[in-house]
């Protein structure tokens, strides 16, 4: 008797697991705020730098 669903090969499951964890690692390394956006926000306030 065959199962009602197709079983995913172990190597594919292992690859998907690794890809998921690598993508999480890469996402955590990306900066939350870009320097250009911070500069634009600070410039828009009209305050001198360092104030």
């Amino acid at each position: 008797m065959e199962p009602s669903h197709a079983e995913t090969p172990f190597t594919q499951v292992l690859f998907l697991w690794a890809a998921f964890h690598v993508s999480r690692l890469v996402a955590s390394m990306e900066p939350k705020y870009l320097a250009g956006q911070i500069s634009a926000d600070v410039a828009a306030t009209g305050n001198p730098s360092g104030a």
Side-chain angles (χ1 to χ4, degrees):
M1 186 170 179
E2 293 185 24
S4 61
H5 64 282
E7 293 188 24
T8 307
F10 176 74
T11 53
Q12 186 177 0
V13 172
L14 183 61
F15 175 77
L16 292 172
W17 176 84
F20 170 75
H21 286 285
V22 167
S23 67
R24 287 185 60 198
L25 179 65
V26 169
S28 72
M29 293 169 51
E30 293 177 357
K32 188 170 184 177
Y33 302 103
L34 299 176
Q37 184 62 46
I38 294 171
S39 297
D41 291 346
V42 170
T45 66
N47 292 329
S49 60

